[in-house]
Every structure is written in C-alpha cells, then in structure tokens.
Amino acid sequence: MVTTTSYVTNVKSTVHFSCISNQHRSHLNTKLKSTTLRMSMTQTPYWASLHADIEAHLKQTITIKEPLVVFEPMHHLIFTAPKTTVPALCLATCELVGGQRHQAISAASALLLMEAATYTHEHLPLTDRPRPMINHVYGPNMELLTGDGIVPFGFELLARSDGGENSERILKVMVEISRAVGSGGGVIDAQYGKILYSGSDGEEKCHVEEIRHVVEKYEGRLHSCGAVCGGVLGGGCEEEIERLRKFGYYVGIIQGMIKWGFKEDHKEVVEARNLAIQELKFFKDKEVDAIKTFLNI
Amino acid sequence: MVTTTSYVTNVKSTVHFSCISNQHRSHLNTKLKSTTLRMSMTQTPYWASLHADIEAHLKQTITIKEPLVVFEPMHHLIFTAPKTTVPALCLATCELVGGQRHQAISAASALLLMEAATYTHEHLPLTDRPRPMINHVYGPNMELLTGDGIVPFGFELLARSDGGENSERILKVMVEISRAVGSGGGVIDAQYGKILYSGSDGEEKCHVEEIRHVVEKYEGRLHSCGAVCGGVLGGGCEEEIERLRKFGYYVGIIQGMIKWGFKEDHKEVVEARNLAIQELKFFKDKEVDAIKTFLNI
C-alpha cells in the first residue's frame, strides 16, 4: 500500500513534498505523519461495487493475447496503477440522473485507462528525473510506449461503445475527457505546474496554495469530468450536468487534498464538502445517499 | 533537412540501422549513400496545397496563448516535427470520393498531431536511450508531457468538429485512428518491433524483412488509416473505403521503404506501386491523376 502524509495544520504553512509524484513522496517534513493513501472512499461497498464492474469490463476487453510483448505490459500497467475515485464517480452520476450503469461503463473504463497511462508516464525514468521513484517491471522504453498505447485504446473503447443511437453523447464525453486529461486546464497543466514548483532534484518546498492549485487542475478537473460524463451518458439534462460538474470538482478537491495529506477536518476539505452537498440539493427527488459516500461521509 | 539512405541492393541483405528512430540514423552501412528523407512526394504542388491547408487549420486552432509554458512547446513540437504524407492523403481520398476538403480537415489535422506526438516521444531521452538523437529545445519532462497533451487534443479536435449530423462517421474515424496510432497493429506495434530488433545500444543489424515489417505496421498502417478516414468523411461507399484502405497501405509501403533508403526502382517499391494502381482502377470514373502523385509518379 502506498503511503502519504496527513496533518497539515495551516493553509499558509510550507510543507516539503516531492512535487513530481502524487503517489510517492518519501521525503517528508518530519512534522507530517504517515497514513494510508487513497481515501477511505475506496473502502465503501458502493465504490467497491462500481469499481469491480469497471475492472470486470476492462478485463473482458483487454485480454492478454498475441503479441504478448504488447498486451502483457499493457495489462500489467493498467491493473496495477493506483485505484482512484474518478471512474466510479462516472458510473455513480450516471445512476444518479436515472441512467443504467452499463451506459457509462465505457467512459468509466476510458477514464481508468487515462489515469493508468498518466501514472505510468509520471513515473517514467527520464534523464532529468534521476531518482527511480517506483519499482519498474518494464524498461523505460516499454513503459513509455505502453502509456502511449493505452490512451488511444481508451478513446477507441469509447468510440466503439455506440450502437448507433448515442453518438452525439459519446462525442460530447470525448471532448470532456480530452480536455481533462490533456492541456485544457487539466492533468497536463497540473503536471506542468508540478515541474514549475519543483526544484532541480524534484523536491522543494510546496506552499499549500500550490498544492491546492495542482489538486484543482488534477483531481478537481478529473473528478469533474468523470461526473459530467456519467451525467451525459445517463441522460441528464443540462442543468443536472452542470451541477454534477461542480459536484465532481468538489469531490476531486476533497479526495485530492486528503491524498496530499490534509486531514478530513481541514477547513479546505470541510468547505469543499459543504459546497458539494449544496450541489446535491438540486437532486432532491433522487436517491443521493450512495453518491454522498464520495464525500467521505 | 533530415537525411537518410538510399540504395539497398537485395531484399535478403543486412543493413546497419538505428532501429530506435525512423527519422535519424547516423550510423549507416558505408554502402548506403545519403539522400533527402521524406519522399519527393512532398515537393509536388498537390501535396503542398493539401498540407498547407492542414497547417493553416492547425495554426488557427492552436494559438500560442496562456499558459505559455503549455502552449509554446506544444506549438513548437507540432510544427517542427517532420512532415509526412499521411495527413495530406486523408484530404486527397476525401476529394477522390467526391467530398470537400474541409470535411476531412479535422481528421487530417488529428493525424498530423498524432504523428508529431509519436515523433516527440520517439526521441525522448530515456534512461535506457543513452545517446541524444536530436537536438532538444525542451527538457525531457516537458517533451513527455507535451506529447501526452497533443494526443488528447487531436481527439478533441475531431470530436468537436461535428456540427451534429456527422457524428457516426466521426466515431468511425476515431476508431480507425485509435487503432492505427495505438496497439491495434499500428504505430505502437512497430515501435515495439523496433525495440525488439535493436540491440542494447539502440543499434543493430536489421534485416530487410524486419524493416519491411516495421514499415508495414508504421507507414503502411498510418497511410491506410489516413486514406480510410478521408474516404469515410468524404462520404465514400463501403467498397470505396476498403479499396482506399488497401491503396493507402501501399502508399505507406512506398513512402516508408523510400524513407528507409530503398530506391524508387527497388522491386518492393515497384510492386507496391503496381498494387496501388490496381486499387485505383476501381475509381475509373473519378479524377485519379492528383492522388497518383502519392505513388511518386
């Protein structure tokens, strides 16, 4: 299990992080104590049920076949990347607006694939990233290529999920995913931000504001995207989708800040939770208890 | 101008290549003499006209805006990557089946973006790629991220090119592009092949059969994809599209073999050209002179 930190006492305080990786930070301020990464959310039965469906769909889709040199690393890197709440949130919002889980399963799977590719490339041993940050089963060249292969596969999965009646919704979802995982104020921007904040050795003092900025772009944007995709594919109306966009964003802030080591009762986490609950009030005729578990309540 | 080799005398002969890169091979068999890379095709007025339209479309789409740290490298890497015949072929086949150039301009642009991303990642200084293969304006981390950002942007460009009437064709084209640039027997497979064929220092004796194998997967598959995309978006019928798939494949064999240093009159090039002409016979009612220039005739 990957570990990270908790206990950041002050928004204005400065904490030592490796800004290169969200998942692995071994050089930590001694004030910070270690705790389990990846939100308690992933221990709830609802998340587990959603995530199991996505993994089952992917396992059915990505069989280990010839050429093994291509599919074996792809399979390995997809299923060993850290689990997140993004793909499951996509299914959850689909259900919230009255859709069936299967309607959003390809989008949720595509989101999982994008995150796996990002994780793989984030830990690639480049010549300007001197320290190996995780154990690598494959060589850098293979990991680079595999990441490069996973992304188009995600888009393919989504593109061919249409039976012919849903193509406009799927294209809408593709634009959302492309922007969130690309340079549209999402993952790539967050990663650029991390490079800028980091020193030459990949370490530095990151201000809480900078962490918040990265979390907004990264987890905020991805969760927002996941929530919108589920809403679109579940047949939500425009107002519902825009509410879900904001709800997803706050879910991302909560999950991201906790991942970076902030406590559940930190004021930024509490504030995001309250704002998320406000958005859910729009769905007063719906069953919202299940999706509330994404707020760690 | 990038240079490569010509004059491979025998299909069974062994030639020394760097298998890491198609574009830059500095260690060459002394038998091979240098010539201009990138087919004479790119000097024809037809190609120039098609390619100019694609670049104009992309320049309009990808403005250098804030954050400069994201868009400046993206702009640079897209417009400095070597020009190929793939995007132009997409427009050419669209015109061949009676479509208008603008109908395929987003797909052609997406193909150019995918090739630019591939080129960028192919030359990334990884820890198991010790020698710098080209001059790098940006650090490895930035180049990795920029390549990662370009691919989703290509899919986004395509996904939002639809005015609402063409979504099924666009999804079809997305599946084609995803497979060609991903692990569906295309670019990624070719790159895996190159790793397998190469020695630990990135150099080795590549048999002509192995070059042919890489060319089939790489240039063959990409040109085939480009030709199909244009046919689909131009409104070609199923039979036309399947003819274009084969035609594009042979164009890719010709352009790829020449890029690897085979002469215009090498038997594999001549054979591919004859097969391509056979496919064009299906379009006997159409104007085929322009598209024939892709066969270097």
Side-chain angles (χ1 to χ4, degrees), chain B residues 7-8 258 262-271 273:
Chain B
Y7 186 44
V8 176
I258 288 172
F262 289 73
K263 287 186 94 172
E264 293 279 358
D265 59 356
H266 189 277
K267 76 169 196 175
E268 298 229 2
V269 176
V270 171
E271 192 175 272
R273 188 178 289 127

Side-chain angles (χ1 to χ4, degrees), chain A:
Chain A
M1 178 59 77
V2 185
T3 59
T4 185
T5 60
S6 70
Y7 187 42
V8 176
T9 50
N10 190 316
V11 170
K12 294 284 171 197
S13 68
T14 297
V15 290
H16 286 262
F17 281 117
S18 159
C19 292
I20 292 296
S21 163
N22 272 355
Q23 274 77 39
H24 297 267
R25 292 179 292 277
S26 54
H27 299 269
L28 299 161
N29 188 304
T30 50
K31 282 184 192 168
L32 303 171
K33 68 175 187 182
S34 181
T35 184
T36 307
L37 175 68
R38 300 288 168 190
M39 61 301 289
S40 54
M41 172 63 207
T42 59
Q43 287 149 17
T44 67
Y46 186 50
W47 178 86
S49 154
L50 297 167
H51 198 81
D53 281 2
I54 298 163
E55 283 212 341
H57 182 75
L58 276 171
K59 280 185 177 149
Q60 206 175 8
T61 314
I62 310 165
T63 50
I64 299 183
K65 60 186 177 187
E66 289 291 344
L68 289 183
V69 71
V70 173
F71 288 100
E72 203 277 328
M74 183 182 270
H75 201 270
H76 175 86
L77 292 168
I78 289 168
F79 293 108
T80 56
K83 294 169 171 50
T84 83
T85 33
V86 174
L89 182 61
C90 174
L91 294 193
T93 58
C94 176
E95 290 189 329
L96 181 68
V97 298
Q100 300 289 310
R101 219 175 262 200
H102 71 86
Q103 292 175 280
I105 198 84
S106 294
S109 301
L111 285 164
L112 189 148
L113 294 174
M114 302 300 166
E115 290 197 292
T118 300
Y119 179 80
T120 303
H121 280 190
E122 265 194 336
H123 296 87
L124 210 58
L126 295 170
T127 52
D128 61 350
R129 289 177 184 175
R131 289 173 303 107
M133 289 169 286
I134 56 170
N135 282 329
H136 293 270
V137 175
Y138 304 98
N141 219 341
M142 292 297 275
E143 290 197 356
L144 172 66
L145 276 183
T146 306
D148 283 344
I150 291 172
V151 171
F153 182 69
F155 284 106
E156 182 193 335
L157 203 64
L158 200 47
R160 65 181 161 86
S161 68
D162 180 40
E165 295 161 5
N166 222 13
S167 50
E168 282 185 51
R169 284 185 189 171
I170 289 173
L171 286 179
K172 200 170 173 182
V173 159
M174 278 193 169
V175 173
E176 294 287 342
I177 294 179
S178 303
R179 288 181 178 167
V181 303
S183 302
V187 169
I188 300 289
D189 286 7
Q191 290 177 314
Y192 276 117
K194 283 197 238 173
I195 296 171
L196 291 182
Y197 300 149
S198 68
S200 59
D201 62 348
E203 295 282 328
E204 87 139 5
K205 293 176 181 178
C206 288
H207 286 90
V208 172
E209 290 88 341
E210 288 163 0
I211 295 171
R212 167 81 192 207
H213 177 79
V214 168
V215 168
E216 283 175 2
K217 299 268 185 192
Y218 205 111
E219 287 85 2
R221 193 74 167 79
L222 275 178
H223 283 80
S224 177
C225 169
V228 167
C229 292
V232 169
L233 294 168
C237 68
E238 208 164 308
E239 175 75 16
E240 285 177 320
I241 290 161
E242 291 315 308
R243 296 283 179 169
L244 289 174
R245 189 184 299 281
K246 288 181 190 159
F247 172 76
Y249 173 77
Y250 296 126
V251 170
I253 298 297
I254 296 166
Q255 303 296 346
M257 296 301 270
I258 289 172
K259 200 174 71 175
W260 274 95
F262 289 74
K263 287 186 95 171
E264 293 278 0
D265 59 357
H266 188 279
K267 76 168 198 173
E268 298 228 3
V269 176
V270 171
E271 192 176 272
R273 189 178 288 127
N274 290 338
L275 290 166
I277 289 168
Q278 283 300 317
E279 297 301 330
L280 278 189
K281 284 185 180 160
F282 184 76
F283 301 89
K284 57 184 183 296
D285 303 333
K286 316 274 186 181
E287 174 49 68
V288 296
D289 285 351
I291 208 164
K292 268 191 179 170
T293 57
F294 281 84
L295 307 175
N296 289 15
I297 46 179

Side-chain angles (χ1 to χ4, degrees), chain B residues 33 41 46 62 79 82 93 95 120 124 128 136 139 149 158 163 168 184 198 200 224 246 280 290 293:
Chain B
K33 67 173 186 184
M41 172 63 205
Y46 188 48
I62 311 164
F79 293 108
T93 58
E95 290 190 330
T120 303
L124 210 58
D128 61 351
H136 292 272
L158 200 46
E168 280 185 52
S198 67
S200 59
S224 176
K246 289 182 191 159
L280 279 189
T293 56

Side-chain angles (χ1 to χ4, degrees), chain B residues 21-240:
Chain B
S21 164
N22 271 358
Q23 274 76 36
H24 297 267
R25 292 181 292 277
S26 54
H27 299 267
L28 299 162
N29 190 304
T30 49
K31 280 186 194 170
L32 303 172
K33 67 173 186 184
S34 181
T35 184
T36 306
L37 176 68
R38 301 287 169 190
M39 61 300 289
S40 53
M41 172 63 205
T42 58
Q43 286 148 16
T44 66
Y46 188 48
W47 178 86
S49 153
L50 297 166
H51 198 81
D53 280 2
I54 299 163
E55 284 212 342
H57 182 75
L58 276 171
K59 281 186 176 149
Q60 204 175 8
T61 315
I62 311 164
T63 50
I64 299 183
K65 58 186 178 187
E66 290 290 344
L68 289 183
V69 70
V70 172
F71 287 99
E72 203 278 328
M74 183 182 270
H75 200 271
H76 175 85
L77 292 166
I78 288 168
F79 293 108
T80 57
K83 294 167 171 50
T84 84
T85 32
V86 174
L89 182 61
C90 174
L91 294 193
T93 58
C94 177
E95 290 190 330
L96 181 68
V97 298
Q100 300 290 310
R101 220 175 260 200
H102 71 85
Q103 292 175 281
I105 198 85
S106 293
S109 301
L111 285 164
L112 189 148
L113 294 174
M114 301 300 167
E115 290 197 294
T118 300
Y119 180 80
T120 303
H121 280 189
E122 265 194 338
H123 296 88
L124 210 58
L126 295 169
T127 53
D128 61 351
R129 288 178 184 174
R131 289 172 302 107
M133 289 169 288
I134 55 169
N135 282 330
H136 292 272
V137 175
Y138 304 99
N141 220 340
M142 292 297 277
E143 291 198 353
L144 171 66
L145 277 183
T146 306
D148 282 345
I150 290 172
V151 171
F153 183 69
F155 283 106
E156 182 193 336
L157 204 64
L158 200 46
R160 63 182 162 86
S161 67
D162 180 39
E165 295 161 4
N166 222 12
S167 51
E168 280 185 52
R169 283 185 189 170
I170 289 173
L171 286 178
K172 200 170 173 185
V173 159
M174 280 194 168
V175 173
E176 294 286 342
I177 294 180
S178 303
R179 287 180 179 166
V181 302
S183 303
V187 169
I188 300 289
D189 286 7
Q191 291 177 315
Y192 276 118
K194 283 197 236 173
I195 296 172
L196 291 181
Y197 300 149
S198 67
S200 59
D201 61 350
E203 296 281 328
E204 88 137 6
K205 293 175 182 179
C206 287
H207 285 91
V208 173
E209 290 88 340
E210 288 163 0
I211 295 171
R212 167 81 193 203
H213 177 78
V214 168
V215 168
E216 283 175 2
K217 298 267 185 191
Y218 205 111
E219 286 85 2
R221 193 73 167 78
L222 275 179
H223 283 81
S224 176
C225 169
V228 167
C229 293
V232 169
L233 294 169
C237 69
E238 208 164 310
E239 174 76 16
E240 285 177 321

